[in-house]
Amino acid sequence: MRNINEDTITQAVLASMAGCRDARLREVMTSLVQHVHAFARETKLTEAEWFQGIEFLTRAGHITDDKRQEFILLSDVLGLSMLVTAQNNAKPAGCTEATVFGPFYVDGAPVVDNGADISNGAKGAPCFVSGQVRGIDGKPVPDAALDVWQSDDEGFYDVQKPADGLHEHQARARLYTDAQGRFDFRSILAQHYPIPHDGPVGCMLENLGRHPWRPAHLHFMIQAPGYERLITHVFRDGDKYLDSDAVFGVRSSLIADWKRHDPDARKTGTNEPYYSLQYDFVLNPSKKAA
């Protein structure tokens, strides 16, 4: 490996991995090295630019913790998350489309009954959500687990706020479909919000002339025995960021109408208008079940 130059270094790196016993790891790393080296050659990357990139990744690592994942944000805004999601979630026509997972899912959300108010003090206009989970054959899927999470009226998820020990989980819960595959819960009206942009990813977006906004949506993760797991959003129709989502996650089939209703204090406990969303999900059978 002596006397390696810019023309021979790529093959030298690839040759160094010949002893790798994991065929898939060797395949991925071979492609990665080839593409990264080709990128450096194509752009004639300078040492200063290379170091700037190292500093960017270092800052992303420093700002990442158990409540914030800057690397997922980076993957999201570069379209990589949605690309990987799309190529790994091809489904038959009629199934609900998948979209990006996002950085704000957490394990251990409270399990609630149908009809529960999952907002738990989160700010926002009352919103009643209902629907049905079915298989592609039209049959209802009972006992499907639905994880749902969303931001509040100020554009923040519960994990972005300092814990006060009183409301650790807000606008976040897990519930299960009934015998007819139906579900319903009360939450708050979805609003558009910016992804966290006070870190290196936000700085990158600003330098690229891009905004950090996401259109209003609810996150869903649906799991049921015999079916593929579905990770998706339902987007609020009419949102001004539907055509410029910062993470490229919008699909036309996932856009739905949030209906506005006149105030009903008996129903909501407030004298403000409330909203409702009805949306059905269609799952694809798992390969094991087919």
PDB file of all heavy atoms in Angstrom, residues 26 32 35 50 58 68 80 104 107 148 176 218 288:
ATOM      1  N   ARG A  26     -19.877  -5.606   3.163  1.00  0.00           N
ATOM      2  CA  ARG A  26     -18.852  -5.353   2.141  1.00  0.00           C
ATOM      3  C   ARG A  26     -19.462  -4.680   0.917  1.00  0.00           C
ATOM      4  O   ARG A  26     -18.881  -3.752   0.340  1.00  0.00           O
ATOM      5  CB  ARG A  26     -18.156  -6.654   1.753  1.00  0.00           C
ATOM      6  CG  ARG A  26     -16.974  -6.444   0.785  1.00  0.00           C
ATOM      7  CD  ARG A  26     -16.132  -7.707   0.633  1.00  0.00           C
ATOM      8  NE  ARG A  26     -16.876  -8.789   0.011  1.00  0.00           N
ATOM      9  CZ  ARG A  26     -17.287  -9.894   0.645  1.00  0.00           C
ATOM     10  NH1 ARG A  26     -17.026 -10.046   1.933  1.00  0.00           N
ATOM     11  NH2 ARG A  26     -17.948 -10.824   0.008  1.00  0.00           N
ATOM     12  N   LEU A  32     -20.303   2.738  -0.949  1.00  0.00           N
ATOM     13  CA  LEU A  32     -20.119   4.011  -0.255  1.00  0.00           C
ATOM     14  C   LEU A  32     -18.761   4.629  -0.587  1.00  0.00           C
ATOM     15  O   LEU A  32     -18.665   5.815  -0.935  1.00  0.00           O
ATOM     16  CB  LEU A  32     -20.250   3.810   1.251  1.00  0.00           C
ATOM     17  CG  LEU A  32     -19.977   5.048   2.112  1.00  0.00           C
ATOM     18  CD1 LEU A  32     -21.002   6.141   1.830  1.00  0.00           C
ATOM     19  CD2 LEU A  32     -19.974   4.681   3.596  1.00  0.00           C
ATOM     20  N   HIS A  35     -18.657   5.941  -4.200  1.00  0.00           N
ATOM     21  CA  HIS A  35     -19.434   7.154  -4.416  1.00  0.00           C
ATOM     22  C   HIS A  35     -18.815   8.364  -3.701  1.00  0.00           C
ATOM     23  O   HIS A  35     -18.798   9.471  -4.252  1.00  0.00           O
ATOM     24  CB  HIS A  35     -20.875   6.955  -3.946  1.00  0.00           C
ATOM     25  CG  HIS A  35     -21.720   6.183  -4.903  1.00  0.00           C
ATOM     26  ND1 HIS A  35     -21.698   4.822  -4.990  1.00  0.00           N
ATOM     27  CD2 HIS A  35     -22.595   6.595  -5.867  1.00  0.00           C
ATOM     28  CE1 HIS A  35     -22.532   4.408  -5.925  1.00  0.00           C
ATOM     29  NE2 HIS A  35     -23.076   5.459  -6.474  1.00  0.00           N
ATOM     30  N   TRP A  50     -13.511  19.973   3.002  1.00  0.00           N
ATOM     31  CA  TRP A  50     -13.576  18.678   3.680  1.00  0.00           C
ATOM     32  C   TRP A  50     -13.658  18.882   5.189  1.00  0.00           C
ATOM     33  O   TRP A  50     -14.486  18.271   5.868  1.00  0.00           O
ATOM     34  CB  TRP A  50     -12.337  17.848   3.318  1.00  0.00           C
ATOM     35  CG  TRP A  50     -12.170  16.625   4.174  1.00  0.00           C
ATOM     36  CD1 TRP A  50     -12.791  15.422   4.021  1.00  0.00           C
ATOM     37  CD2 TRP A  50     -11.333  16.502   5.327  1.00  0.00           C
ATOM     38  NE1 TRP A  50     -12.403  14.548   5.010  1.00  0.00           N
ATOM     39  CE2 TRP A  50     -11.508  15.181   5.828  1.00  0.00           C
ATOM     40  CE3 TRP A  50     -10.458  17.362   5.986  1.00  0.00           C
ATOM     41  CZ2 TRP A  50     -10.834  14.720   6.941  1.00  0.00           C
ATOM     42  CZ3 TRP A  50      -9.785  16.901   7.111  1.00  0.00           C
ATOM     43  CH2 TRP A  50      -9.972  15.593   7.579  1.00  0.00           C
ATOM     44  N   THR A  58     -19.649  16.917  13.213  1.00  0.00           N
ATOM     45  CA  THR A  58     -19.328  16.977  14.642  1.00  0.00           C
ATOM     46  C   THR A  58     -20.390  17.758  15.405  1.00  0.00           C
ATOM     47  O   THR A  58     -20.842  17.340  16.480  1.00  0.00           O
ATOM     48  CB  THR A  58     -17.949  17.621  14.855  1.00  0.00           C
ATOM     49  OG1 THR A  58     -16.956  16.846  14.163  1.00  0.00           O
ATOM     50  CG2 THR A  58     -17.596  17.682  16.333  1.00  0.00           C
ATOM     51  N   ARG A  68     -33.481  14.616  20.699  1.00  0.00           N
ATOM     52  CA  ARG A  68     -33.275  15.284  19.407  1.00  0.00           C
ATOM     53  C   ARG A  68     -32.290  14.472  18.580  1.00  0.00           C
ATOM     54  O   ARG A  68     -31.191  14.179  19.035  1.00  0.00           O
ATOM     55  CB  ARG A  68     -32.757  16.697  19.611  1.00  0.00           C
ATOM     56  CG  ARG A  68     -32.397  17.386  18.282  1.00  0.00           C
ATOM     57  CD  ARG A  68     -32.213  18.856  18.473  1.00  0.00           C
ATOM     58  NE  ARG A  68     -31.852  19.523  17.235  1.00  0.00           N
ATOM     59  CZ  ARG A  68     -31.922  20.838  17.058  1.00  0.00           C
ATOM     60  NH1 ARG A  68     -32.348  21.606  18.037  1.00  0.00           N
ATOM     61  NH2 ARG A  68     -31.560  21.387  15.909  1.00  0.00           N
ATOM     62  N   LEU A  80     -33.163  11.690   1.750  1.00  0.00           N
ATOM     63  CA  LEU A  80     -32.706  10.313   1.869  1.00  0.00           C
ATOM     64  C   LEU A  80     -33.699   9.458   2.640  1.00  0.00           C
ATOM     65  O   LEU A  80     -33.965   8.308   2.267  1.00  0.00           O
ATOM     66  CB  LEU A  80     -31.335  10.269   2.545  1.00  0.00           C
ATOM     67  CG  LEU A  80     -30.725   8.881   2.743  1.00  0.00           C
ATOM     68  CD1 LEU A  80     -30.538   8.172   1.404  1.00  0.00           C
ATOM     69  CD2 LEU A  80     -29.388   8.984   3.491  1.00  0.00           C
ATOM     70  N   PHE A 104     -39.358  12.287  16.131  1.00  0.00           N
ATOM     71  CA  PHE A 104     -40.032  12.562  17.404  1.00  0.00           C
ATOM     72  C   PHE A 104     -40.869  11.399  17.937  1.00  0.00           C
ATOM     73  O   PHE A 104     -41.642  11.577  18.878  1.00  0.00           O
ATOM     74  CB  PHE A 104     -40.909  13.810  17.276  1.00  0.00           C
ATOM     75  CG  PHE A 104     -40.115  15.057  16.997  1.00  0.00           C
ATOM     76  CD1 PHE A 104     -40.318  15.771  15.836  1.00  0.00           C
ATOM     77  CD2 PHE A 104     -39.147  15.492  17.884  1.00  0.00           C
ATOM     78  CE1 PHE A 104     -39.580  16.908  15.563  1.00  0.00           C
ATOM     79  CE2 PHE A 104     -38.402  16.624  17.624  1.00  0.00           C
ATOM     80  CZ  PHE A 104     -38.618  17.341  16.462  1.00  0.00           C
ATOM     81  N   ASP A 107     -40.709   5.513  22.450  1.00  0.00           N
ATOM     82  CA  ASP A 107     -41.323   4.319  23.033  1.00  0.00           C
ATOM     83  C   ASP A 107     -42.035   4.675  24.333  1.00  0.00           C
ATOM     84  O   ASP A 107     -41.705   5.674  24.983  1.00  0.00           O
ATOM     85  CB  ASP A 107     -40.254   3.261  23.319  1.00  0.00           C
ATOM     86  CG  ASP A 107     -39.727   2.609  22.059  1.00  0.00           C
ATOM     87  OD1 ASP A 107     -40.534   2.335  21.149  1.00  0.00           O
ATOM     88  OD2 ASP A 107     -38.506   2.380  21.983  1.00  0.00           O
ATOM     89  N   VAL A 148     -49.932   7.144  17.787  1.00  0.00           N
ATOM     90  CA  VAL A 148     -50.202   8.436  17.163  1.00  0.00           C
ATOM     91  C   VAL A 148     -49.460   9.511  17.939  1.00  0.00           C
ATOM     92  O   VAL A 148     -49.367   9.459  19.169  1.00  0.00           O
ATOM     93  CB  VAL A 148     -51.722   8.728  17.111  1.00  0.00           C
ATOM     94  CG1 VAL A 148     -52.345   8.700  18.496  1.00  0.00           C
ATOM     95  CG2 VAL A 148     -52.002  10.058  16.427  1.00  0.00           C
ATOM     96  N   TYR A 176     -55.937   0.801  20.472  1.00  0.00           N
ATOM     97  CA  TYR A 176     -56.165  -0.410  19.684  1.00  0.00           C
ATOM     98  C   TYR A 176     -57.536  -0.352  19.006  1.00  0.00           C
ATOM     99  O   TYR A 176     -58.494   0.175  19.577  1.00  0.00           O
ATOM    100  CB  TYR A 176     -56.084  -1.667  20.565  1.00  0.00           C
ATOM    101  CG  TYR A 176     -54.689  -1.936  21.084  1.00  0.00           C
ATOM    102  CD1 TYR A 176     -54.221  -1.294  22.223  1.00  0.00           C
ATOM    103  CD2 TYR A 176     -53.835  -2.814  20.415  1.00  0.00           C
ATOM    104  CE1 TYR A 176     -52.939  -1.526  22.699  1.00  0.00           C
ATOM    105  CE2 TYR A 176     -52.549  -3.048  20.888  1.00  0.00           C
ATOM    106  CZ  TYR A 176     -52.101  -2.404  22.019  1.00  0.00           C
ATOM    107  OH  TYR A 176     -50.829  -2.622  22.474  1.00  0.00           O
ATOM    108  N   LEU A 218     -50.686  14.504  11.242  1.00  0.00           N
ATOM    109  CA  LEU A 218     -50.648  13.567  12.360  1.00  0.00           C
ATOM    110  C   LEU A 218     -49.763  12.387  11.966  1.00  0.00           C
ATOM    111  O   LEU A 218     -49.824  11.908  10.833  1.00  0.00           O
ATOM    112  CB  LEU A 218     -52.045  13.022  12.682  1.00  0.00           C
ATOM    113  CG  LEU A 218     -53.088  13.965  13.273  1.00  0.00           C
ATOM    114  CD1 LEU A 218     -54.385  13.195  13.496  1.00  0.00           C
ATOM    115  CD2 LEU A 218     -52.607  14.544  14.577  1.00  0.00           C
ATOM    116  N   LYS A 288     -45.174 -13.268   5.233  1.00  0.00           N
ATOM    117  CA  LYS A 288     -45.358 -14.527   5.956  1.00  0.00           C
ATOM    118  C   LYS A 288     -46.805 -14.964   5.936  1.00  0.00           C
ATOM    119  O   LYS A 288     -47.116 -16.166   5.928  1.00  0.00           O
ATOM    120  CB  LYS A 288     -44.889 -14.364   7.402  1.00  0.00           C
ATOM    121  CG  LYS A 288     -43.383 -14.168   7.539  1.00  0.00           C
ATOM    122  CD  LYS A 288     -42.994 -14.048   8.991  1.00  0.00           C
ATOM    123  CE  LYS A 288     -41.482 -13.847   9.141  1.00  0.00           C
ATOM    124  NZ  LYS A 288     -41.097 -13.723  10.568  1.00  0.00           N
TER     125      LYS A 288
END
